[in-house]
Amino acid sequence: MSQRHSATILAGDIGGTKTVLALYRYQEGRLNPLTKKQFVSKDYADFSDIVNAFLKEAESSEADAACFGIAGPVIGGRCKTTNLPWEIEASRLKQQLSTENLRLLNDLEATAYGMLYLSPSEFVDLNPQANAQEGNRAIIAAGTGLGEAMLFFDGTQYHPVGSEGGHCDFAPADDQQSALLAWLRRRYPDHVSYERVLSGPGLYTLY
């Protein structure tokens, strides 16, 4: 978008517990927030129902552009959400919002893009004594699920890369964790992932 261009942008963060939508006005190189609302995801049969409810409250029927970060793998413009019974398709949302300027992203990939715009004062060092290095970065977020993404460093700049690393096998490191894995296998016979341990439900299961 050029500096002179004015557009309405719909942004969303779609999670297993809550979905947050916000409408912005892009004008003269700045994003100005217009309205924002949070929804309980499980209260809706489909994501498009949330979009309709939001636009009705915002007194708007369409957007010039839209982007949604979704808790789940996005493949070919489509996502079957991991912790919700939804199938979200970019083609349907384009039709619903009357715009071709729409993109679906894995939610942690979207978070990785956002990290590129944070100032140094917005970071906290977990190990202040370590020597700073330029290299790949990992993003981990434990919520309803275990989101993971990467920032690949090409020597000049970072490139966000989505992943579903939270679903990799839980690998015990000692006898106590091996006993935990054996107990989890009885509870989740199909697959015990790291998400079963490190997430909101995972912490509840550990307790």
Side-chain angles (χ1 to χ4, degrees), residues 13-14 19 32 60 65 85-86 101 125 164 168 174-175 178 201:
D13 179 20
I14 305 167
T19 292
N32 300 304
S60 178
W86 295 352
N101 300 314
D125 287 330
E164 291 296 315
C168 68
D174 57 31
D175 291 342
S178 293

Side-chain angles (χ1 to χ4, degrees), residues 3-201:
Q3 293 289 320
R4 298 178 181 177
H5 185 68
S6 176
T8 301
I9 299 174
L10 177 60
D13 179 20
I14 305 167
T17 300
K18 67 180 185 296
T19 292
V20 182
L21 296 182
L23 201 61
Y24 296 85
R25 170 65 66 179
Y26 178 88
Q27 199 164 19
E28 297 180 353
R30 294 181 61 86
L31 274 176
N32 300 304
L34 299 177
T35 184
K36 176 182 175 181
K37 185 172 177 60
Q38 180 173 303
F39 301 84
V40 178
S41 300
K42 65 181 178 59
D43 288 350
Y44 295 82
D46 190 80
F47 174 60
S48 61
D49 295 335
I50 292 181
V51 173
N52 285 333
F54 176 79
L55 293 176
K56 183 178 180 180
E57 185 168 317
E59 297 182 349
S60 178
S61 60
E62 57 186 39
D64 298 306
C67 186
F68 303 106
I70 309 172
V74 178
I75 302 173
R78 177 181 298 180
C79 177
K80 185 173 182 179
T81 53
T82 305
N83 293 302
L84 288 167
W86 295 352
E87 288 195 23
I88 302 174
E89 298 181 18
S91 57
R92 288 173 52 198
L93 289 170
K94 287 178 180 180
Q95 187 175 26
Q96 182 178 3
L97 295 169
S98 301
T99 181
E100 287 296 315
N101 300 314
L102 185 144
R103 186 173 179 187
L104 303 181
L105 294 174
N106 171 264
D107 59 340
L108 263 290
E109 182 182 359
T111 299
Y113 273 105
M115 288 181 63
L116 297 176
Y117 294 91
L118 295 176
S119 65
S121 63
E122 293 176 287
F123 288 91
V124 175
D125 287 330
L126 296 179
N127 184 3
Q129 306 305 317
N131 295 323
Q133 301 289 333
E134 285 191 335
N136 299 334
R137 296 175 178 176
I139 299 94
I140 301 174
T144 305
L146 177 58
E148 298 184 10
M150 296 168 285
L151 282 163
F152 165 70
F153 186 63
D154 66 4
T156 303
Q157 59 184 343
Y158 287 94
H159 303 273
V161 180
S163 86
E164 291 296 315
H167 299 293
C168 68
D169 294 343
F170 171 53
D174 57 31
D175 291 342
Q176 183 184 46
Q177 293 181 14
S178 293
L180 172 63
L181 175 60
W183 184 85
L184 287 169
R185 277 179 173 162
R186 293 194 294 271
R187 189 180 181 97
Y188 305 107
D190 292 336
H191 181 223
V192 178
S193 66
Y194 269 100
E195 181 172 287
R196 299 298 192 189
V197 178
L198 183 56
S199 64

